[in-house]
Amino acid sequence: MRLSHSMLSRRRLLSLAALAALTPLSGQASAETITVATVNNADMVVMQSLTNEFEKSHPDIKLDWVVLEENVLRQRLTTDIATKGGQFDVMTIGTYEVPIWAKQGWLTKLDNLPADYNEADLIKPIRDGLSLTEGDDQGLYALPFYGESSMLYYRKDLFEKAGIDMPAKPTWTQVNDWASKLNAPDEGVYGICLRGKPGWGENTALLSTMVNSFGGRWFDEDWKPQLDSPAWNEAVNFYVDLMNNYGPPGATSNGFNENLALFSSGKCGMWVDATSAAGKLYNPKESSVADKLGFAPAPIAKTEKGSHWLWSWALAIPESSKSKDAARTFITWATSEEYINLVGETQGWASIPPGTRKSTYENPAYQEAAPFASFVMDAINSADPTDATLEPVPYVGVQLVTIPEFQSIGTQVGQQMAAALAGQTSVEDALASAQRSTERTMRQSGY
């Protein structure tokens, strides 16, 4: 049968329509979306603000952000990865989770990184903390976004007014004496600000370094909990008295971010916390005390061992992710020297994510903007997770214990310490309760 011109035209249009449905138009292919879970710390907020820069250079990838408070983030991520939920393609986790989760097979091994990533540039203690260093699965399982130790920040103007000279190695006894002289709540200044918010990565992190320095430890060589030991009692009583006498009210609500806000607004004479805060405190756009800031090593008591922690917030890809290639592209970008330079040029060099690359500390622009740079590098390199206590221990870790049970133990202990700080129980009762709950957890876990 011979087709009319109109019938031929109609058939041709239908064929073209079918072809168009099968073949995406150039430039209209949908981008792959990856979900990034991160903590609401300042450096991560900057990373989120640079989403457009990443998507502009990687138009085939879109970023969907889930930004959470630290304790909530940890709960969400732990639940998701343990159940293989697959909600997230990139997880912000740290030195505690990486080796434990990697051994469980929950994280994607990050081998064969691009040559221009320059893995050898990563600072060794930070890189090692994000790796498995023994067994058949040796290698890197997360890329460091920023690394840190801990240090003492103080107001030079207030110290000068009070006639105080900062020694090379301050002690906790001296800190208590100084706090008494600096404390002026009627003028809106408290002698000292310290973490009080409960959580294994919040108040427990600080208290662990204090306990280490007072000669204590979490467990003896037979894994028997030591929370009712004289060293724990001395350290925690000292902490509670110091904070109740010279700290801000409501301290059990204050973690890293809250104390950063307090100190940067001039409300604290001293603050012992993460070295990663230095860049924010030295930035006059973010800190009213930028021109008054002094810094010193974290205080010691009986020993320097374990007096300053070692930590890295890092980006990892869960095995449950269905977009591993896109996730790898993002985390190599966000932890690269290129990204650090981007932040330096757009946000100021003092605000770059610190503690990850040797090249950062060799950069003249960073050295000029960050007078604390070499100090922080020394603190990171001298924090030894394999030798952090006066007496021998069966575990690795400065402010944490690298066993799966510690997340629960550390949080329970943190809650008991917060209750003691708030006056809801005595230090002795809080430690006795913490000892019992930790003994029960360790017994149930087969230690």
Side-chain angles (χ1 to χ4, degrees):
M1 182 177 72
R2 188 174 179 178
L3 298 175
S4 67
H5 178 73
S6 61
M7 291 175 70
L8 283 168
S9 298
R10 184 170 179 271
R11 180 169 290 183
R12 191 177 292 114
L13 287 170
L14 289 171
S15 297
L16 289 170
L19 182 64
L22 293 171
T23 307
L25 293 176
S26 175
Q28 291 187 358
S30 60
E32 185 174 12
T33 299
I34 60 171
T35 302
V36 182
T38 196
V39 67
N40 63 341
N41 291 353
D43 288 289
M44 286 70 171
V45 173
V46 170
M47 176 171 58
Q48 185 185 12
S49 75
L50 294 171
T51 294
N52 289 340
E53 294 292 332
F54 174 78
E55 292 180 349
K56 193 192 315 177
S57 57
H58 302 84
D60 56 334
I61 303 173
K62 296 291 182 187
L63 304 178
D64 179 30
W65 293 89
V66 177
V67 183
L68 300 167
E69 185 271 334
E70 185 171 322
N71 289 336
V72 177
L73 175 80
R74 287 183 162 131
Q75 292 169 358
R76 287 276 301 274
L77 296 189
T78 302
T79 300
D80 185 73
I81 202 160
T83 60
K84 298 180 173 62
Q87 293 181 38
F88 309 108
D89 301 297
V90 174
M91 291 181 164
T92 304
I93 57 177
T95 308
Y96 168 71
E97 295 97 344
V98 172
I100 295 173
W101 291 5
K103 286 177 184 175
Q104 294 288 336
W106 292 347
L107 300 178
T108 301
K109 188 176 180 180
L110 299 172
D111 47 8
N112 300 317
L113 292 170
D116 62 359
Y117 183 75
N118 192 8
E119 184 181 338
D121 187 40
L122 299 177
I123 296 170
K124 188 177 186 301
I126 299 296
R127 184 181 70 238
D128 289 350
L130 303 175
S131 306
L132 291 183
T133 55
E134 299 177 351
D136 296 333
D137 297 323
Q138 290 183 41
L140 197 58
Y141 284 84
L143 301 182
F145 183 68
Y146 72 75
E148 65 182 35
S149 184
S150 53
M151 63 196 286
L152 167 62
Y153 301 99
Y154 65 97
R155 289 268 303 275
K156 290 193 294 186
D157 58 328
L158 298 182
F159 265 58
E160 184 177 349
K161 183 179 177 181
I164 304 169
D165 293 320
M166 176 62 72
K169 294 181 179 180
T171 68
W172 279 109
T173 301
Q174 289 173 321
V175 165
N176 184 78
D177 180 53
W178 299 334
S180 71
K181 295 175 181 176
L182 302 176
N183 195 49
D186 292 344
E187 300 171 22
V189 177
Y190 300 94
I192 190 164
C193 293
L194 296 173
R195 297 186 186 192
K197 181 186 287 188
W200 70 264
E202 286 282 8
N203 64 343
T204 304
L206 172 75
L207 282 166
S208 292
T209 61
M210 293 184 70
V211 168
N212 292 340
S213 190
F214 274 81
R217 52 187 174 167
W218 276 92
F219 302 97
D220 68 11
E221 291 179 278
D222 298 318
W223 288 104
K224 185 180 186 306
Q226 299 294 295
L227 291 143
D228 57 357
S229 67
W232 270 86
N233 269 276
E234 187 179 359
V236 177
N237 269 300
F238 179 91
Y239 161 81
V240 168
D241 289 344
L242 175 65
M243 289 296 287
N244 281 334
N245 290 333
Y246 312 120
T252 56
S253 297
N254 296 340
F256 170 76
N257 282 324
E258 292 80 10
N259 282 319
L260 174 60
L262 284 169
F263 192 92
S264 63
S265 60
K267 293 181 170 57
C268 311
M270 292 178 288
W271 180 34
V272 180
D273 214 296
T275 58
S276 57
K280 308 304 173 190
L281 295 176
Y282 266 97
N283 186 342
K285 296 178 182 177
E286 302 184 47
S287 170
S288 66
V289 297
D291 60 342
K292 308 175 182 69
L293 185 61
F295 56 87
I300 59 175
K302 295 177 181 176
T303 178
E304 292 182 43
K305 282 190 174 186
S307 61
H308 57 289
W309 67 60
L310 182 68
W311 179 255
S312 172
W313 277 115
L315 304 178
I317 305 170
E319 271 295 323
S320 54
S321 169
K322 295 179 175 61
S323 299
K324 290 187 178 68
D325 288 343
R328 180 185 288 249
T329 298
F330 171 69
I331 69 171
T332 53
W333 174 83
T335 61
S336 66
E337 191 174 354
E338 171 197 355
Y339 175 84
I340 290 172
N341 290 336
L342 174 64
V343 176
E345 291 161 5
T346 59
Q347 311 291 319
W349 283 101
S351 297
I352 66 170
T356 60
R357 291 184 170 272
K358 291 179 282 187
S359 56
T360 295
Y361 294 85
E362 296 163 359
N363 186 326
Y366 184 63
Q367 291 173 351
E368 183 178 352
F372 49 83
S374 61
F375 177 91
V376 170
M377 188 72 155
D378 289 343
I380 289 173
N381 283 323
S382 62
D384 187 355
T386 66
D387 186 23
T389 56
L390 200 55
E391 297 182 272
V393 295
Y395 58 85
V396 172
V398 180
Q399 80 283 14
L400 50 84
V401 180
T402 48
I403 58 173
E405 294 78 12
F406 183 74
Q407 184 164 350
S408 170
I409 290 171
T411 296
Q412 287 179 339
V413 172
Q415 289 166 346
Q416 293 288 346
M417 299 308 99
L421 179 59
Q424 298 166 357
T425 184
S426 69
V427 169
E428 290 70 22
D429 287 347
L431 288 172
S433 177
Q435 175 76 8
R436 289 193 299 271
S437 65
T438 304
E439 286 176 342
R440 184 167 56 250
T441 299
M442 297 299 281
R443 187 168 57 249
Q444 291 170 346
S445 299
Y447 284 86

